[in-house]
Structures are given as structure tokens and as C-alpha cells.
Amino acid sequence: LSYSCSCHLHDDEDTFKILIATDIHLGYLEKDAIRGNDTFVTFDEIMKQAMQNEVDFVLLGGDLFHDNKPSRKTMHCCIEVMRKYCMGDRPIIFEILSDQAVNFSHSKFPWVNYLDTNLNISIPVFSVHGNHDDPTGTDGLCAIDLLSCAGLINHFGRSRSVEKLEISPVLLQKGNTRIALYGIGSVPDERLYRMFINNQVTMLRPREDEDGWFNLFVIHQNRSKHGATNYIPEQFLDDFLDLVVWGHEHECKIAPVRNEQQLFYVTQPGSSVITSLSPGEAVKKHIGLLRVKGKKMNLQKIPLQTIRQFFIQDVTLSEHPDLFRPEQPNVMLKVMAFCQEKVEEMLEEAERQRLGNPLTPEKPLIRLRVDYSGGFEVFNTMRFSQKFVDQVANPKDILHFIRHRESKDNIKGKQVGLTESTCRSPIRFTDANASSRAVFSIRGQRSTDSSGSKGGLFRALNTVGRSHVGTVTGRGGLSLLDPFKKRTTRLFLPTDWPAIGACEAAMAAT
């Protein structure tokens, strides 16, 4: 296999041109007044790129839809775009060599759509299903099956068995170039992991000249490890593959990376819409234009212009002792001013980058993650966000407060739980049951209750003047009795909670 990211493969009668995209998530936040049309606009851009580059076909890696049951608006917009760009008189100049009745056995029309005499297809679309648009119900249908029945999509990689998978490739030929297209629609990761371990996944090879094919595989599963069996290791995949298109993961890592053990390349196009305000989604979004000639390939990155800008930044308050400290008066006002300055800097950068690009949406997404460890207190994020309500696309969740626990190395050898020293020190926490954030300061002394277990009595006074009386248990837990609501609120402290200084405790009502 020869891969190049720089040299150009000539567009001739032997070169396949394939547009690759995954995780389009049509319909995501469709009811949002600001972001509601983002997925539809970007899908139009993707299919327009396919038409302008005169690709042989479009290859989608799952999650075309965000919801398992797309709304009428979402389905209408999808069909509108596909009819606009996929139908026409441009001839299709590659052949299907495999048994289509096997490739599309689940369909009522088991053949590729461009060979249907009742349809005039200029750009075929091949797609597996993802976990968001997977088949459900007694009939095992999904939204992609509707598009397949309408003749707009060729749905492949479908299996009804929950015990084993036998993947028969779609065999394509253009001139002297032959592609074996394999695909697995989304399967629960643990189940597929178990199938691989038990050798229940079989990828069939072409009968003739099996080494003369370019083997292209589309998968929609966890690539990064989320648990012991909640992902699919690349080493599980067959080593005869040439290129793996990995869907489901949203971070754009579209440049092919060689797996040195299996000797194939992996491309992860990522999502074409921002569905979470996390660092991985802040990476520039691309789709890929794949050229294949013989056993050579070239992947050209195409940046998407209609993606809403997203800027994310992390700040740790304890790293700025020159600006503020927890014990200072009016420290909260200083922290708010600091956070406002950071948000304004990101807005200015968004404005600079947007100049000259009329396709970029006007309001960016902004996320500031604030680590308030070290005794700092949180403030009202909604009130803070009101200052930017007309400037950002996500005014309700600009700020995100996080707090890191002390590392286990730092607390090794320290006593865990509430001790006499900590009962004498203020303990601040947030009452999750209160309509507004209420900060308590708890003081008490160690004692032994009637059962002989070590505990303690304490009194807590919160910021609105309500008094709470409760007990300290030997396991580092607290019980508060609210005399006004006459209910007990249980506090659970982390098991590695250090026995010194002030801390924050999470509350859970019982």
C-alpha cells in the first residue's frame, strides 16, 4: 500500500474519487433559535463539495441523523439536499461486481440505486448506520432505511444477528482499480468486542485475485478506550485492510495514521457539527476527498466553512495569586471580572477569524472552564452570562466550574474523614436542594454517640441565615436536619477527602 498526503493522483479513468464524512447529526438542536439550522446548512455544504469535485460516490460513516426518529423538518431537509445534489444526468462510470442481493439483503430493493431504471442518480451515497440512527422496533428499521427505500442512499453493513457477523464487501471497479468496501453498522461496543474475542466476526475476501483489491472498511464504534470492553481496539481488525474510516468519534483526526501492527491506515473524519462543548470538538472540522488508484491512495482535507466557531479555554484560579486569593474581601467580584476578560478575549479572536468568511455563522460558541480548587467559591453563572446574551450562541452555559480532588499521592498517610481538626475548620459546600446556591459554614467537635461509634455534633449556618443541626458519622458522611422543611439532607464526602483545611462536599437529598 502506498499512501501520500502531498502527491496528487491524476483524475483519470482508473482513479476513484470518494467524499468521506461521518457524524453529520442532522436535526441536532433543531428547535434552538440560534443553532437550529446549523446541521442542515453544513450538510448542504458537504453535498455541494461532492458535486463540485465530481466524486464517484459519497461515503458516510454513520449518525447521519441525531435522533433515532427524526422530525419531519429534519427528514424533509435531508431529502431536499440529497435530491438537489444526488440526482442528475452525469453518468456513473464505475461498476458493482459483487452480488447486490447479498450486500443489500435487508432492503426491499436489493440493488445499488444508480442501477435502478426508475431513478436518475448522478452521485451515489453509501452509508452505514450509527448509534444515533440505528435500527429499532419489531421491523428493525431506521431512518436510513427510509432514504434507502426512496432510492437516495445505499445502506450497507447491516446485520440482524446478535451472535456473529459475516461481512461481505461491496465490490467496485473503475478502470483497473478495484475497491472492496466493507462496513459494520453500529453495534453495542461490549457485544462487538465479545464477538471479536470469540472469533465470531468474519470479513469475506474476493474470490479472484484477493491481493489486487484496495480494502476500505467503515466502522462506527468507540475508538478510544471507555472501559475494559467498551471500545474496539484497532488490533481486532483484519490486517489485510488498507484504510479504515472510523466514525462515532467526534474529534477530527482526518489525516490517515498508520497502525504499525496491522499495517493499515486509519482516518477519523470526526463530526461536522459541535454537539458538546469539549476540547475535541474545538478542532477544525474537515471532510475528506479520497483518491484511490490501484493500491495507492491520497486523502485531501477539505475544511468546512459553515461550522459555527467554538473557542474553549481553561483557567485555574489558584494559579493567579497575584490577582486574587480566597481570603481576600470581594474576591468573587475579582474572579468575575477575570472571567469576563477571558470571555471577551475569545469573542475578539472569533471576530478576527470570521472576517472575510461570509459562510461562518455570526455568533460563536464560547466555553470557559474554571478550576476553583483551593478555597474559591462559585458564583451565579446565569447572571454572568447575561452580559453576553447577544454575542454568543450558547448564553446559558458559557462558564463551567470544575474542582480537582487532591491527588492520592498528596493525601497518602493522612487520615480520611472528618476529624477534630476539620470539625473546627469551616467546611463549605453547596446545597443542591436550595433554589439558589447556599454556602454553609460548619463547626463542631468530635464526640462518641450512644452506640459507641465515633462521630460528632455540629451546627451549620448558611448564607440566608437558616440553621441546620446534624451529626457527623465515622465514615466521613454528614446528615443535616432542616428545621424549616423538616427533612434530612445527606452529605457524602469523597473517600479521599483530606483531613485538613476547608473542603467542598456534594449534597444528595434522601
Side-chain angles (χ1 to χ4, degrees):
L1 172 67
S2 173
Y3 164 68
S4 171
C5 31
S6 58
C7 81
H8 180 69
L9 292 178
H10 296 290
D11 298 340
D12 55 26
E13 64 276 4
D14 294 326
T15 303
F16 270 101
K17 286 201 297 183
I18 308 164
L19 191 84
I20 296 177
T22 67
D23 297 87
I24 295 171
H25 286 272
L26 285 174
Y28 176 70
L29 288 184
E30 63 178 312
K31 295 183 180 179
D32 187 280
I34 300 174
R35 304 164 65 185
N37 288 322
D38 283 7
T39 59
F40 308 130
V41 172
T42 300
F43 185 48
D44 186 277
E45 180 188 3
I46 292 171
M47 296 308 296
K48 187 175 182 180
Q49 284 285 352
M51 183 185 71
Q52 290 176 343
N53 284 282
E54 297 183 339
V55 300
D56 292 298
F57 63 91
V58 174
L59 183 60
L60 302 180
D63 282 354
L64 173 60
F65 296 98
H66 183 70
D67 291 318
N68 190 270
K69 297 179 180 178
S71 68
R72 281 175 291 187
K73 175 185 176 182
T74 297
M75 188 60 77
H76 181 271
C77 287
C78 178
I79 294 173
E80 177 187 358
V81 170
M82 299 195 79
R83 180 170 174 176
K84 177 179 175 183
Y85 293 110
C86 295
M87 291 189 168
D89 293 327
R90 190 170 71 92
I92 307 294
I93 53 177
F94 66 90
E95 303 175 75
I96 304 289
L97 303 182
S98 54
D99 186 349
Q100 299 176 54
V102 175
N103 299 143
F104 311 107
S105 59
H106 58 279
S107 173
K108 297 294 184 182
F109 305 93
W111 52 80
V112 73
N113 62 347
Y114 76 86
L115 293 179
D116 193 312
T117 56
N118 297 312
L119 300 172
N120 208 13
I121 302 295
S122 61
I123 302 179
V125 178
F126 291 84
S127 179
V128 298
H129 62 263
N131 58 305
H132 278 257
D133 47 21
D134 61 324
T136 57
T138 55
D139 296 323
L141 294 174
C142 63
I144 295 181
D145 288 322
L146 301 182
L147 298 176
S148 173
C149 190
L152 295 172
I153 272 187
N154 301 295
H155 183 195
F156 73 108
R158 175 81 179 272
S159 174
R160 296 185 183 275
S161 174
V162 297
E163 297 178 355
K164 64 179 181 179
L165 286 176
E166 190 174 83
I167 308 167
S168 183
V170 182
L171 302 181
L172 315 171
Q173 181 169 355
K174 181 180 180 182
N176 294 319
T177 300
R178 294 180 295 178
I179 293 179
L181 176 61
Y182 297 83
I184 299 180
S186 179
V187 178
D189 288 294
E190 295 87 348
R191 182 193 300 167
L192 186 57
Y193 188 101
R194 187 170 59 250
M195 288 182 186
F196 273 111
I197 290 292
N198 296 330
N199 295 318
Q200 296 299 316
V201 180
T202 305
M203 300 181 75
L204 303 178
R205 304 288 300 274
R207 292 178 181 175
E208 298 180 4
D209 188 23
E210 65 178 29
D211 294 327
W213 296 79
F214 184 90
N215 299 293
L216 177 60
F217 180 46
V218 185
I219 185 172
H220 189 99
Q221 305 290 153
N222 281 333
R223 186 183 179 192
S224 55
K225 190 173 182 179
H226 294 275
T229 62
N230 196 18
Y231 76 115
I232 303 301
E234 293 179 12
Q235 285 68 29
F236 281 5
L237 307 183
D238 288 89
D239 57 6
F240 69 81
L241 295 173
D242 296 308
L243 178 65
V244 177
V245 178
W246 209 296
H248 184 62
E249 300 285 358
H250 280 207
E251 182 176 354
C252 183
K253 298 179 179 179
I254 198 166
V257 176
R258 183 179 171 90
N259 184 302
E260 295 300 336
Q261 287 182 278
Q262 303 298 88
L263 303 181
F264 52 62
Y265 287 88
V266 180
T267 175
Q268 180 180 303
S271 68
S272 60
V273 64
I274 297 165
T275 59
S276 64
L277 302 181
S278 59
E281 294 274 24
V283 179
K284 179 69 176 177
K285 303 288 189 185
H286 294 82
I287 53 177
L289 181 58
L290 175 67
R291 289 178 171 87
V292 177
K293 183 175 183 178
K295 297 288 282 187
K296 294 182 178 181
M297 69 171 181
N298 168 268
L299 185 65
Q300 175 187 344
K301 299 195 317 184
I302 301 177
L304 292 170
Q305 305 298 325
T306 57
I307 302 296
R308 190 173 296 276
Q309 294 171 295
F310 174 36
F311 293 87
I312 184 169
Q313 188 174 344
D314 293 334
V315 295
T316 303
L317 299 182
S318 59
E319 294 178 354
H320 300 275
D322 54 323
L323 298 178
F324 35 67
R325 291 179 180 155
E327 66 274 8
Q328 288 178 331
N330 299 323
V331 63
M332 191 175 293
L333 294 177
K334 295 181 180 179
V335 172
M336 289 178 66
F338 177 76
C339 292
Q340 181 174 340
E341 181 181 343
K342 294 296 181 183
V343 172
E344 289 173 348
E345 288 175 0
M346 286 189 277
L347 285 171
E348 290 173 2
E349 179 63 24
E351 184 64 28
R352 280 194 296 269
Q353 293 189 17
R354 193 168 60 245
L355 290 176
N357 190 351
L359 298 178
T360 303
E362 182 180 352
K363 296 180 180 180
L365 294 165
I366 300 292
R367 168 54 65 91
L368 182 65
R369 301 195 299 186
V370 182
D371 183 346
Y372 65 105
S373 305
F376 291 94
E377 297 176 2
V378 300
F379 51 83
N380 191 305
T381 57
M382 293 300 293
R383 191 176 304 161
F384 174 87
S385 300
Q386 288 299 313
K387 304 169 187 175
F388 306 100
V389 69
D390 295 325
Q391 302 177 62
V392 300
N394 59 316
K396 295 181 180 179
D397 52 5
I398 297 175
L399 283 185
H400 178 58
F401 285 103
I402 57 176
R403 181 176 61 87
H404 292 294
R405 295 179 180 177
E406 193 170 356
S407 66
K408 293 183 179 180
D409 292 338
N410 292 338
I411 65 172
K412 188 175 182 181
K414 296 179 182 177
Q415 188 177 355
V416 175
L418 289 174
T419 65
E420 184 176 359
S421 63
T422 55
C423 283
R424 287 174 180 165
S425 303
I427 303 173
R428 299 181 178 89
F429 57 88
T430 302
D431 184 354
N433 302 316
S435 57
S436 60
R437 295 187 180 276
V439 180
F440 292 75
S441 181
I442 302 177
R443 291 181 180 274
Q445 62 182 20
R446 285 189 66 80
S447 65
T448 303
D449 60 20
S450 58
S451 65
S453 64
K454 291 184 178 181
L457 296 174
F458 65 87
R459 181 175 297 275
L461 185 68
N462 74 359
T463 53
V464 293
R466 282 168 32 189
S467 180
H468 298 68
V469 178
T471 59
V472 181
T473 68
R475 293 183 179 178
L478 298 83
S479 295
L480 286 179
L481 176 63
D482 188 334
F484 292 90
K485 295 185 178 180
K486 294 185 178 181
R487 80 175 170 197
T488 299
T489 298
R490 177 74 171 161
L491 305 182
F492 294 100
L493 298 182
T495 56
D496 59 350
W497 183 66
I500 55 172
C503 80
E504 306 241 347
M507 296 186 68
T510 59

